[in-house]
Structures are given as structure tokens and as C-alpha cells.
Amino acid sequence: MATRLDTQELQRRWAAMSPRERGLVALAGVAVAALLLWYAALRPAWTTWRTAPAQVRTLEAEQLRMQRLAAEARELKAQPPVNAAQAAEALKAATERLGANAKLSLLGERATLTLTGVTAEQLRSWLADARSGARARPLDMQLTRGDNGLSGQIVVALGGAS
């Protein structure tokens, strides 16, 4: 049978303790209560208070990025549509800037760009030119990074094509 200490038994034991023992038990109780208070209430608040400024900066940067993307989307939407011939010419001009490292193949409302050894900056520039000049949007990308740069294929839809 398990022994159970009731309130009267605890009061009897407390009264039997010396004043020094009572002080030590009270001190231990205060220490346990302070530890519980720290872990249950103060530590989570302290952690949040320390990390909040970095999280706010990250969220503000993300918000600015989203606002820039929304503004860019509005600008692109406001631009007049281009016909297939204009889109093809814009893509050809952008591809010529890549030199011998790129070959463009046009088929209907889609274009395939084959790359061999271009830099990421060259690819970014080509994509920006394709999006603004030809109103093209990427449909599929299969790229690999090698010692000489990026290689692979990009398929884009021209103008309003899906």
C-alpha cells in the first residue's frame, strides 16, 4: 500500500523541522518555482523578444520583394501585346547576344533555346529580354551547371500563348 502524505502529516513534519531546515526547504521551493516560471513564461517571451527584430527585417524584405514583383507584373500587363513576328525577332536578338553558346528554335507559339556554357548572368539577361521584348514566359527548363557554365534547354511560350 502506497503511503500518502496528507496535509496534517506535512504540517506535523514542518513543525518538527528546525528553523534552518525550514529555511532551506523554503529556499528550494522558491528556486523550483523560479525555475518553472523561467521555463514556462519568461524564456519563451525572452526568445521571441530577441528573435523578433530579425524576423521583422526578413518579412519586410519579403514584402518589398513581393511589391516589386507586383509592380513588374502590372508593368508587363500594361504593355501592348506583340505579334508572333515581333516576338520571334525579340527572341532572336536576345539569343544573338549570347553568341555561339546558344541556339534558338521556333515552332509555332513556342521557342526552344539550347545553351552550352553560358553564365547565370547571361541567362538572367536573356530571360528578362524574352519576357519584356517577346512577352515570352518559361514553360520548361532543363539546365545543368558545369565547369564552363550552364548548359541545357529552355522552352518558352511566346506572347499570350499558354
Side-chain angles (χ1 to χ4, degrees):
M1 181 166 149
T3 40
R4 190 175 143 231
L5 297 176
D6 60 7
T7 325
Q8 291 175 349
E9 177 67 19
L10 288 175
Q11 287 174 348
R12 190 186 60 73
R13 285 189 183 192
W14 181 262
M17 287 184 193
S18 69
R20 182 171 182 220
E21 287 175 327
R22 282 188 214 149
L24 289 175
V25 169
L27 182 64
V30 167
V32 168
L35 188 65
L36 288 173
L37 177 67
W38 170 256
Y39 278 107
L42 298 177
R43 186 174 179 208
W46 178 261
T47 302
T48 300
W49 182 73
R50 275 191 11 241
T51 60
Q55 289 175 343
V56 166
R57 282 190 301 274
T58 301
L59 291 173
E60 285 174 347
E62 184 67 21
Q63 180 185 15
L64 287 174
R65 183 177 156 273
M66 296 299 285
Q67 287 173 343
R68 280 193 305 270
L69 287 173
E72 183 180 348
R74 283 190 299 274
E75 287 173 15
L76 287 171
K77 192 174 183 179
Q79 292 178 348
V82 295
N83 63 36
Q86 290 172 324
E89 286 304 314
L91 281 180
K92 286 177 186 175
T95 303
E96 286 174 4
R97 288 191 284 278
L98 294 176
N101 295 338
K103 180 183 173 215
L104 184 67
S105 170
L106 295 167
L107 183 60
E109 292 185 343
R110 290 186 182 211
T112 302
L113 177 70
T114 304
L115 303 167
T116 52
V118 299
T119 66
E121 180 57 31
Q122 287 174 314
L123 177 59
R124 188 203 63 75
S125 177
W126 185 89
L127 287 169
D129 290 345
R131 185 164 59 181
S132 64
R135 310 299 188 272
R137 59 185 178 84
L139 297 176
D140 185 40
M141 284 188 181
Q142 296 177 356
L143 299 173
T144 57
R145 183 181 302 263
D147 292 336
N148 59 346
L150 298 169
S151 298
Q153 286 189 337
I154 300 174
V155 178
V156 294
L158 301 179
S162 299

